[in-house]
Structures are given as C-alpha cells and as structure tokens.
Amino acid sequence: RQELLKWNGWGYNDSKFIFNKKGQAEFTGKRYRLGGMVLPTFKEWIEKTFGASLEHKTTSRASLNVNDVPPSIVKEEFLQDLRATKISYSQDAEDRVFRAHGHCLHEIFVLREGMFKRIPDIVVWPVCHEDVVKIVELACKHNLCIIPFGGGTSVSSALECPEEEKRTIVSLDTSQMNRILWIDERNLTACVEAGIVGQDLEKQLAESGFCTGHEPDSMEFSSLGGWVATRASGMKKNIYGNIEDLVIHIKMVTPRGIVEKNCQVPRMSTGPDIHHFIMGSEGTLGVVTEVTIKIRPVPEYQKYGSVVFPNFERGVACLREVAKQRCAPASIRLVDNAQFQFGHALKPQVASIFTSFLDGLKKFYITKFKGFDPNVLCVATLLFEGDREKVLQHEKQVYDIATKFGGLAAGEDNGQRGYMLTFVIAYLRDLGLDYYVIGESFETSVPWDRVLDLCRNVKERIVRECKEKGVQFAPLSTCRVTQTYDAGACVYFYFAFNYRGISDPIHVYEQIERAAREEILANGGSLSHHHGVGKLRKRWMKESISDVGLGMLRSVKEYVDPNNIFGNKNLL
Amino acid sequence: ETASHSLFLCSQQKELTSKKRDEFEDILEERRLSSDLRYAMKCYTPVIYKGLSPCKPNALKSAVLQSEQVQYVIKQLAKEMGESPDIIQEEATEILDEMGHSMQLGAVRFFAFTLSKIFKQLFQRVCVNEEGMQRLQHAIQEHPVVLLPSHRSYVDFLMLSYLLYTYDLALPVIAAGIGKDFLGMKIVGELLRRAGAFFMRRSFGGNRLYWAVFAEYVKTMLRSGYAPIEFFLEGTRSRTAKTLTPKFGLLSIVMEPFFKREVFDTYLVPISISYERILEETLYAYELLGVPKPKESTSGLLKARRILSDNFGTIHIYVGQPVSLRALASGRINRCPFNLVPRHLPQKPSEDIQEFVSDVAYKMELLQIENMVLSPWVLAAAVLLQNLPAVDFELLIEKTLWLKGLTRTFGGFIEWPDNLCAKKVVVSGLSLHSNIARLVDGHVVLNDKGVEDGAVGEIVFRRALAILMCATYRNQLLNVFVRPSLVAVALQMTRSFRKEEVYSCFSFLRDVFSDEFIFFPGISLKDFEEGCFLLTKCDAIQTSQQEIYPTDKGSATVSFLSAMFRPFVEGYQLIFRYLSKETKEAFTEKQFIPGVRNFVFQLLEKGNTQCYEALSSDMQKNALAALVQLGAVKKKKLSNGFTYNVNQEDVSKILDMFDARIPVQKPVAARL
C-alpha cells in the first residue's frame, strides 16, 4: 500500500490537483468523481483568495534523500529475538520515514524541505494478535519504545517520535492485521482486526450485506485501531453513532498484559467503563488488536440534498432546530459563505450548454428573485439513508424546517458534490504548498448558543493574527458546522494563507493556529471533538480536564505502562 | 498570570513616559464662518460599526424585554414573589420606558443648530485633536466602542455628541443619571432622550429586575453595535475639577459581552475634556459649602441664559487612543467560569473579574488625566493659593513660569499661547477669571469681599467661596503632581532621609488619600519610585541605595510641592480630629457633613486654622471614606442610607501618624 500513496503529501500518488498546459486546474486520476475534470474557475479563485500566482512556485524534493535519514540503531540481541518470532520487519530508510509522521502541516513541510530529527529505528509488521503480544514482550525485555502505527492520518503530531527518546523506537505497523475474524448476524456485530482500513472494512462487510456506517473523512486511509485510539467520529454518526457508540469489545495488548472484557454485551455496569481508558489513549497504553463492532444492514436507499440559506445565522438556527426535533439526517453540514465560494470554484467544466443554462437560471432565481446576497448566503448539505419511503418522509420533514428559516432547496447534485469534496479537499493542501500557500483544518465542539459567536470570533482572530504576524495577503479563514448533537455542534475550520515574504512560515502558522485554539477555548469550545490531542494540543490538557482529571489519566498510564514502553508522549 | 499583570502595568508606565500628543483644531472656527442652519441640515451619513444590524429605538426595547436574560429574571422573580410573570413583565416595560432613549435625527439637528449658537456665545474656541477623531472613526467601524469622557460639566455630553455629529461619526447613546437631574424637566428630558440620552436611577442596589433590564439594555446596544456607548466613569460631575474615583457598575456591564465572547473586542476610549473656565464653577463652590444647589428645572435653565453673556474661554477635547479590552484582558481573565454557566444567567463577577474591572477603570482615568489640558491660569491659581492674601504681580508671573517648567517635567499637558509674553498670558487669565481674583496696586488678590463687611461668619463664608473656586483650578494639577509631592510631604513629615522610612510614610499617605487622588491599585512602590524619579529629574532630590535627601537648590521645589498638598494634609487632620473627639460613635452621612462643617467653621472664625478647604464636603466625604478603608470606621447599610461607627482610638492613632507624632507603621513586604 505504501507504494500507492504519496511519500510527501496526502493520499494516492495518482490523484492530485495540477495546472495543465492551458493553465487550468485539473484533478488527476480516476479514483474520484472529480478525476480527469477541468476546473475552469479554480485558478482565479486561488489568485483572488490568496493573492497567489502561478509564476511563484516552490518545489518539493522529488524523492527522499536516504543520506539525510537518521541511522537505524537497533541492538543485535533484539534483532535475534525478533527473527526468532518470524515477524517481518524492516530497517529501510523509506519505510521508517513513512511511519515517522502524520499529516500535520509542519510534518509535510519537513518531508518536502527537511528531515525529521528522530524517526523509528525499525518497522515491524505483526499479522495477528499473538504477534503483537510477542513484540510487546520483547520491547519490555529489551526496554524499547513502541509507537503503534495504523493509517498514518493523524493530525495531532501523535506519530512524531519524541526527539529525546534514546531507546530504539519500534514502529508497530498494524496494516497486516486486516481481517474480519467473524460476523455475527444475529447480534449484528463483527469482530475485526484493528489494522483494517475504513474503506476495506466497509467493502468487505458489504459483501455480506452489512456496513458499520462509520465514515470519518479519512476513511480511505485510517484504520479501525486508530479510530479507537483517538475517539474518532464519523460523518454519519447521527444514524450509526461515533466510535464509542459502535464498539462492543476491545482487545488491547499492554506491557501489563491483555486488557478486555469478559463478554460482548450492549452495556454493563461494572464501574467506570474500561473502554473509555482505551478510547482516546492515543497509543500511550498499548496496541488495540481486535475490535468487535456493531454492524447494520446496508441501507436500501441513499439520497443527497442541499439547502441554501440567506446567511450563516439562519443556517445555524435551522440546524439547531433540526437537532432539537431529533430529525437530523445521516449527515447534515453547513458551510459558510467562503466555503460555498470555494466549492463553487471547484465546479468542473459543464458538459453541455443546457446545464450551463440551467446553472445560470438557478443562480438568477436565488440571487435576484429571492434576494440572496451571493457574498453572504451559505449552504447546508444533507445525506439521507434508510428505507426509501422513510427517507422521503424524513427529507420532507427536514426541508419543511429549512423553509421556516428561509432556506431554499438547492438540489441533490450540490449535496453530493459537497460530500465528494470532503475527500478531495485534503489533496488541495499539496497544491497550495507548491504555490506558497499553507493551510490546515482544525475542529472543536461547542454548545449551540455559542456556535455563532465562536465561528465569528475564531475567524476574526485568525485574520487579525495573520495581519499581526506580517502575512501580506488576507488569509482564507472559513468554517463549517459538520455535526449536530442535542446540546451542541461540531465546528470545523479551514485556514490557509499565502506565505510569500515570510521567512519562517511554519512557525508563523503554528503561532496562529495556537491563537485560534486559545480563541476557541475562550469561546467555550472544546480542545478537540475528534482529532485528538497528540502532542500538538497537550499544553491545554490541564485546563481542559482539570489537575485531578489529568492525575487520573496519569495514574492509569503509570499502572499499565510503568516503563513507558508506549513512549510516544501523546496526551499527558 | 503575574507576568501578564506586570505587562498591564508596564504599558501603563510606558504611556506615562512617552508624551507625544496630537495637535488641536478649533471646530468653532468653521461655525463662525458658515451657516449654522446649513450645518444642522447637512447630509449626515455617519461612520458606523461594520457589523451593525440597524434597529429602531422601540425595536431595541422589545428585544431587551424578550431577551433570555430579562425573561429569566422575570420568571425567577415571579416564582419567588408568587406573582404572575405578566405583572413583572409590565414592570419591566415601565422601567424600559423610563430608561430608554429615543434617538431621532430631527432632535440631533435641532441640537446641532442651537448648540452651535450657544457654544459660539459661551466659548472662544473648542479645540479637538483631529488625529484622535480619526482614530475614533476607525475604532467605531471595527468594534463596539465605549466613550469614557471626564465629567466636569453638563456641557460634556452635549459637546461630545456635537463633536461626533460634526465629524460624521455615529452619535453615542449616553447614560445619564435620573433623579435630581433632568427627569424633573419634562421638555429638556425628552429632548435629551431624542438626542440619545438614556437614564439610569442613581441607586437600584437591591432591585434585581431593574439591574437586569438596565444591564441588558446597555449590552444589547453594545453587542449589536447600535451606537457608541458613552458614560462617565466618575459617575457624576466632579465639583472640584479633580478626577473622582471611578464607579465600576457600568464599566463591568459593558465589559461583559467581551468576557462572554459575544463580541470579538470592545474599544474603550478615554476622552479628556478640559475647560478654561467651568460653567458651573460658582454653583459647585456653593454646593461644596453646603448651600443647596438649585434644582435643575427647565425654568432654572432658562435663567441660566444670563450666563450666555459671559465668556468661558476655551474648551480642549482630547480623544485618547482607543484601548482594546481584549488586549487588556489577555492572559488576565480565567475563561473557565464563563464557559460553565449559560451566558444569560446573571452571575456575580468573580474576585478576579472585579479586580480587573477596577484596574481598567483606574487605568482609563489615569489616561484621562494624562491628556487633560492645563491652562496657564491653573498654574497661576496654584501659586496664588500658596501666597494668600495677596501676591506681588511680578512674583506671580515669575512663579507661574517656573511652575510651567516643573509641570511639563512631570508630564502635565500645558497649552501655553505661543506668541504671548508671560505677563500677557497671566493678565488674560486674570481677566477671564475676574470673578475669582483681580489685580490691585500691583498685587493679585482674591475676590473675597462681600458688598460690605458683614459678620465674622459672612467673611469666613465669602473667603471660603473664593478659595474653593480658586482651588478648582489648582486642583487640575494635583493628579499630575501627586506622586512627587507625596514624596516631598513624606520627606518633611518623617524628617528622615532613610528611604525606607520615607517610603513607609509615602505609602501611608497614599492609602489615606486613596479617595482624594487617583492611584492605580496596588502599586505603591511603583508610584513612590515614579515620584522619586520625577523629583530627581527636576534636581529637587538626590537618591542613593538607602537614602533620599533634598538638594540645596531643590529645597524650594520640595517645599512648594508639599505646600501644594498642605490643604489636604491639614484638612484631613481637622476632619480626623473631629471624628476622634467631637462626634458620637455612630452617625449617618447626613449628620456627619453638617457636624464637621460646623466644627471647621468655628475654628476658622476663631482664627485657629487657615484651612478653608476643610469646609469642602468633597474633602470631608473622602476623608471619611479613607477611614472606612483603613478600617477605623465601619460603614453599615441601613434602609435609609449608610450609618457609620467610629473606632475613636483607631482614628486617633491614624491622626497621630498624620501629625507625625508617631512613626508610620511599616507596610509589609516593602521591597526597596
């Protein structure tokens, strides 16, 4: 799989944004619906939004320079023991660098222009639970540091090796533990090895007519074990739940031994749920090897939809009402005006005059007839799932609510495009990096009454911080509400700027992101809704969960892993 | 936290030392050249807040009434009192109607026209720093703005609105006090409402409904960027021209939307309005001496027309740098408490917040003081008061010039006419203030004679009146001089050169005078160091590691500085003496003022003291408040006002320290 993926960017090698010979933007490859399409207005949008120009280009190193890579330091005694277990391993530079990072901006930047100070010394590929037990035992015996590695999509610096780690660092890659062990149709559960990647899990379950319904934006690459370790959340959590609702049983190998429950029941009252020590432990306690997860029959019918609102305030009010009436579709998301414009810029060249005429008509209707200001309006995208009849009924209910808040139905197509962009958008950063534009996304959760204030203040803070830090061109600072709950929502921010003229863009970027996080916390938002803490957000942990709370987590760590074998230094 | 706290002070300090100020423009000049009517009818499209959602005054009121905040309190009260919420809601509506403004462009134009006429009559010039107006213009567009002018006269808020109209800025809504003031005057009150005034009751301590409605009214206007909000930190007009200690209620209300992040930021704009001659000067002096002030009534105001024929010189308005509340709060406010309670619930501010509000209030007043313009007459008045009953004219000029230099060294903002010789400057000051002092046979004397010599009491009263009026001008210097002067006083009181002792005494004086002058809370040592620094700067003292001593040529400065504050030292001594010996142990404020006034009056009649300023009810109240703060007097709130209980032993002890009979106890943790 490593061969299919970019070594210095997001996703598949064959899929990326490029500017073709005519200077028009294009998305390559055949994996996505956007693949092979020309995006005529995209170049203009980039130039207008970032003040970027195609003439000013930066280029990444074409390939990894093996001489820069820190040497692999592994004691022979350990290698001997390892060989005896027959578990495959590698000390190859490329293999090690590939597992030395996640997808934070600074990590990608290092790949393009520099080198990590510390990377794993050796990569091991266990193929089953027992292999993991052996590796952990060896690590304890030889006092090594293990960093579990699943899909590698972390955006919290969780995979970075602590620079000061003197012991041999073993990257434990779970990708070969990717089997579905069994499916229990009567209880609607499946026991799956933790290394399986999201899309493979859904594909294989679908063969039996099932799905988990867990679809984080990274599901093409992220793994089941990773979801558990970071408390992941999926796009369709309104129907299927977040990872903590989906998990029935977890098996984890720790330096103390194996931790698991004795039965596979929907709920139990046996003190604090030990699953909650595991979920979100971010690789600090052990390796998740097997997970029993709830499954559902694949839905009979899916329908996309979208609604245009005159402004963001009305849109949020509508989402709140939908949440209040507990009739949220599988997914409901609201993007602000800047993201609406961005989505617009990614519209492919239309095939026929008729479509273009139709588009023009729609635009005329919304802006002229209904009086929506194209620079203020915002869009909600919807995804319904279930029985055909129920979906249609449900759809009507949601559109009726939307109408009350001034919303206008804007078609299935816009909705579907919105969700497709979710997967494609991650590729965009690599294009930006080629043209002096750096950016990242981050998220939070917030009570309903503070959603608007938080969105406005965080965006404003970003703009101001950029100005203060000498960023020449106003940044892209935009947000969307991606999940609704009874008591609040999840908000996602995108932030990018043109860094020409700044000598240390990554440092500036990090300062601004930090300020934005401070702003989120001051506005009553959480440290993270689903990305996790890693090392990136550690400094706010005490404030987030109190001294005593932190002490509770620490004492668990001390008991489970007294010698800090799982020494990735995340979270605590 | 400590680091950011010191940052807060640091910026304070920096502002004190960098004194680059803007130039002034006379806005009346244009008025004298072109039609007032056309000016009043000009196309007025003011600069407004970028996030403004326009709203009529009545819609504003119903938004307040329907707000979660007010509805919550209504329901709460209904439950507690067993009343129907409708009745309480009705009450809330009445409160809103009593309170609300009804800003109208028509009224604004009416004011623009009449005020043009009146101001041109009354004042020679109205000078404004245009750069300040430009900064304000930016600020208004960017974030909600709170205007914090000094308060010396009723003219203040009229003038400020007039100014904003002139510069095409959004007109402010102004918090005005109800009660004895305007609401009695139907027509004027209504007119002011239409010009953007809203009214708050002077005291509504226990009334939760009133508080909720009022606070929400102000916050709604702030959050929506409806208009700049203007109020007076001092709470009322200072009768002495000395900045009053700040009130915190309104300030904490306007800060709350930022604490709760309902707005991104809020700008606080200190504005210093200084009058060469204060319109109400005579009124104030009478009031301070306990002769009841005439109630403001419409007819009374019409009588004031007599004043129109008089000349009140120049007004200087200095619009200070807008201060970002966000920047002030950065790192100082623990955000947790605001995140854990729904934002519409009334919450008692934490100690942290209270301390922060108080710090900001003092900071804003210090910024006002920094930019107050001092006229040459202010200097002359200070000299004159130290040389009663008469001072040689030439000496007055010489001393005034000397004081000008000293004042500038201390950072005072003097507007001295460029092209006039010192003599002409003083003469013109005398002629503007001919009701206070005049030139007789080469000597300047106070105007303290009645029509003919009456009884002793009459003479004392006349003299007191003249001295208090004159003091109103000297007072404008005091907050600029207070730090070096209190060092000078401490040097004289301790008769010691040991830094530690002088500091102890300084610190004690600072505590005693904490209601009299404006000190940033909790930085006694910094104030002391600043005082010493300024005295060193003017060569009055020399300091070493351990010692402070006056230089030979500096002794004149040191005695001048301490003499400047002698009326306060002596006045407080008299008042403390009264409290330690002459009064019952418990009394009300209503009993205290006449009691102490009689006591001082008798001493003056007998010639046992020359401290006329001790007759000022302002000083009397401040002295009492100081004792309350020092713990020697206990203040209790009863249904009919406050009652005071004196611990006479404690007061005597403080008096002894004050008389320098016993040394001042060392303040704890003094690090020198």
Side-chain angles (χ1 to χ4, degrees), chain B residues 381-582:
Chain B
V383 175
L384 177 59
L385 279 175
Q386 287 196 26
N387 292 280
L388 290 178
V391 56
D392 178 73
F393 184 51
E394 296 300 328
L395 185 69
L396 178 67
I397 293 168
E398 186 193 316
K399 281 274 195 183
T400 302
L401 269 177
W402 170 79
L403 186 53
K404 175 182 143 196
L406 193 63
T407 308
R408 288 216 166 125
T409 310
F410 290 172
F413 189 3
I414 298 178
E415 275 284 292
W416 190 272
D418 296 328
N419 42 12
L420 284 185
C421 68
K423 187 173 175 182
K424 283 202 174 131
V425 170
V426 175
V427 167
S428 109
L430 271 172
S431 81
L432 188 66
H433 298 278
S434 57
N435 57 330
I436 297 177
R438 65 201 148 100
L439 190 58
V440 181
D441 305 331
H443 283 75
V444 174
V445 295
L446 276 184
N447 252 344
D448 56 358
K449 302 285 180 288
V451 194
E452 53 201 56
D453 281 354
V456 192
E458 180 68 17
I459 292 172
V460 169
F461 184 79
R462 286 264 146 221
R463 200 166 164 72
L465 206 57
I467 287 180
L468 285 187
M469 266 162 74
C470 197
T472 306
Y473 294 93
R474 175 214 56 202
N475 283 350
Q476 296 176 29
L477 284 180
L478 296 180
N479 275 307
V480 176
F481 275 67
V482 68
R483 288 159 197 83
S485 289
L486 288 193
V487 174
V489 174
L491 270 171
Q492 293 198 334
M493 271 174 66
T494 50
R495 291 188 211 93
S496 160
F497 299 128
R498 291 201 44 232
K499 216 176 197 175
E500 212 174 309
E501 275 178 59
V502 178
Y503 173 62
S504 297
C505 183
F506 173 89
S507 191
F508 167 73
L509 289 170
R510 190 182 176 278
D511 288 344
V512 171
F513 289 134
S514 64
D515 279 273
E516 199 72 52
F517 308 109
I518 305 302
F519 297 105
F520 191 86
I523 55 159
S524 185
L525 185 59
K526 256 198 153 85
D527 279 344
F528 178 68
E529 280 165 356
E530 194 191 310
C532 292
F533 168 73
L534 292 175
L535 285 177
T536 320
K537 207 167 136 192
C538 66
D539 289 330
I541 60 163
Q542 281 186 320
T543 61
S544 67
Q545 202 69 3
Q546 307 286 332
E547 293 192 321
I548 300 181
Y549 40 91
T551 57
D552 291 340
K553 64 178 194 173
S555 62
T557 310
V558 170
S559 23
F560 181 88
L561 292 178
S562 75
M564 189 181 230
F565 284 74
R566 186 161 303 134
F568 294 92
V569 175
E570 284 180 14
Y572 272 53
Q573 282 167 341
L574 289 178
I575 296 162
F576 290 174
R577 230 165 86 196
Y578 168 76
L579 282 170
S580 67
K581 298 205 177 77
E582 308 286 330

Side-chain angles (χ1 to χ4, degrees), chain A residues 39 57 79 81 103 127 135-136 165 170 208 251 254 266 276 287 301 330 352 360 372 390 472 541 545 549 567:
Chain A
L39 315 164
K57 208 172 161 186
L79 284 177
D81 283 352
H103 281 271
V127 295
I135 293 167
V136 173
E165 181 59 69
V170 181
S208 321
K251 201 189 262 185
T254 78
H276 284 284
V287 187
Y301 187 61
S352 71
F372 286 19
K390 275 191 193 143
Q472 314 273 323
M541 269 301 272
I545 62 169

Side-chain angles (χ1 to χ4, degrees), chain A residues 55 165 186 209 315 327 332 337 387 416 420 457 490 564:
Chain A
E55 272 127 58
E165 181 59 69
R186 293 182 75 175
C327 63
I332 178 166
N337 183 265
D387 297 348
Q416 190 171 10
M420 183 265 301
N457 291 343
C490 167
N564 196 29

Side-chain angles (χ1 to χ4, degrees), chain A residues 447 449-451 453-454 456-458 460-461 464 467 517-525 540 543, chain B residues 49-50 68 142-143 259-265 267 326 334-336 338-344:
Chain A
D449 71 311
R450 294 174 199 247
V451 170
D453 288 333
L454 181 133
R456 183 198 58 231
N457 291 343
V458 172
E460 172 104 24
R461 178 77 180 262
R464 275 166 194 278
K467 209 177 191 177
R517 182 58 62 182
E518 292 279 352
E519 193 62 35
I520 286 174
L521 296 175
N523 279 270
W540 292 289
E543 178 182 350
Chain B
Y49 173 52
K50 64 173 184 216
E68 281 178 308
E142 225 179 333
H143 298 303
F259 291 151
K260 294 183 172 173
R261 294 303 192 274
E262 292 162 336
V263 295
F264 184 79
D265 198 354
Y267 275 130
R326 175 176 272 268
N334 179 2
R335 48 209 170 204
C336 212
F338 297 101
N339 291 345
L340 293 179
V341 179
R343 292 187 294 181
H344 67 272

Side-chain angles (χ1 to χ4, degrees), chain A residues 22 89 183 363 378 399 498 538 542 569 572:
Chain A
K22 280 189 262 170
Y89 70 90
I183 294 175
K363 193 176 164 192
C378 72
Y399 281 111
N498 179 342
K538 255 167 89 164
K542 195 168 110 180
K569 295 239 167 128
L572 299 174

Side-chain angles (χ1 to χ4, degrees), chain A residues 254-521:
Chain A
T254 78
R256 268 284 167 198
I258 294 157
V259 54
E260 63 179 326
K261 293 182 184 174
N262 72 331
C263 52
Q264 304 207 320
V265 294
R267 184 177 194 275
M268 56 204 270
S269 174
T270 45
D273 192 336
I274 54 159
H275 283 174
H276 284 284
F277 289 128
I278 299 169
M279 285 186 290
S281 60
E282 303 190 354
T284 59
L285 298 178
V287 187
V288 175
T289 53
E290 290 168 17
V291 179
T292 304
I293 190 165
K294 292 201 265 187
I295 55 172
R296 302 283 307 162
V298 171
E300 171 194 317
Y301 187 61
Q302 264 199 345
K303 193 173 183 191
Y304 290 97
S306 64
V307 182
V308 187
F309 291 98
N311 56 44
F312 192 64
E313 288 74 14
R314 303 284 277 166
V316 170
C318 174
L319 260 61
R320 203 282 160 268
E321 184 60 28
V322 167
K324 196 173 179 179
Q325 296 192 21
R326 290 200 172 164
C327 63
S331 168
I332 178 166
R333 288 177 173 179
L334 180 77
V335 304
D336 69 359
N337 183 265
Q339 260 181 70
F340 158 74
Q341 307 233 3
F342 166 62
H344 217 69
L346 282 177
K347 255 196 165 153
Q349 204 159 29
V350 282
S352 71
I353 297 178
F354 180 69
T355 346
S356 118
F357 171 73
L358 221 60
D359 276 353
L361 210 63
K362 264 189 245 161
K363 193 176 164 192
F364 177 82
Y365 176 72
I366 288 178
T367 59
K368 294 291 173 330
F369 192 71
K370 284 287 173 182
F372 286 19
D373 180 346
N375 292 314
V376 180
L377 63 81
C378 72
V379 179
T381 56
L382 311 166
L383 171 60
F384 298 91
E385 249 185 47
D387 297 348
R388 199 186 140 82
E389 215 165 292
K390 275 191 193 143
V391 162
L392 295 179
Q393 215 179 343
H394 192 178
E395 193 187 18
K396 184 176 179 312
Q397 188 187 4
V398 172
Y399 281 111
D400 283 350
I401 294 173
T403 311
K404 282 189 197 131
F405 292 89
L408 287 175
E412 279 185 70
D413 209 43
N414 280 322
Q416 190 171 10
R417 256 166 30 81
Y419 288 103
M420 183 265 301
L421 285 183
T422 301
F423 296 108
V424 171
I425 208 168
Y427 286 92
L428 212 58
R429 185 170 70 196
D430 297 326
L431 178 75
L433 279 167
D434 288 341
Y435 296 95
Y436 289 94
V437 174
I438 51 178
E440 182 108 271
S441 59
F442 48 90
E443 42 73 35
T444 187
S445 49
V446 58
W448 276 116
D449 71 311
R450 294 174 199 247
V451 170
L452 284 176
D453 288 333
L454 181 133
C455 291
R456 183 198 58 231
N457 291 343
V458 172
K459 287 196 269 183
E460 172 104 24
R461 178 77 180 262
I462 289 171
V463 171
R464 275 166 194 278
E465 291 285 334
C466 282
K467 209 177 191 177
E468 257 169 54
K469 303 277 178 326
V471 175
Q472 314 273 323
F473 210 80
L476 173 71
S477 169
T478 157
C479 71
R480 63 181 189 213
V481 179
T482 59
Q483 290 290 6
T484 64
Y485 292 87
D486 288 349
C490 167
V491 180
Y492 219 92
F493 291 91
Y494 287 99
F495 153 47
F497 63 88
N498 179 342
Y499 70 85
R500 283 184 56 216
I502 294 176
S503 58
D504 191 355
I506 293 303
H507 182 64
V508 167
Y509 171 81
E510 281 172 352
Q511 283 180 315
I512 297 170
E513 188 187 324
R514 184 173 161 182
R517 182 58 62 182
E518 292 279 352
E519 193 62 35
I520 286 174
L521 296 175

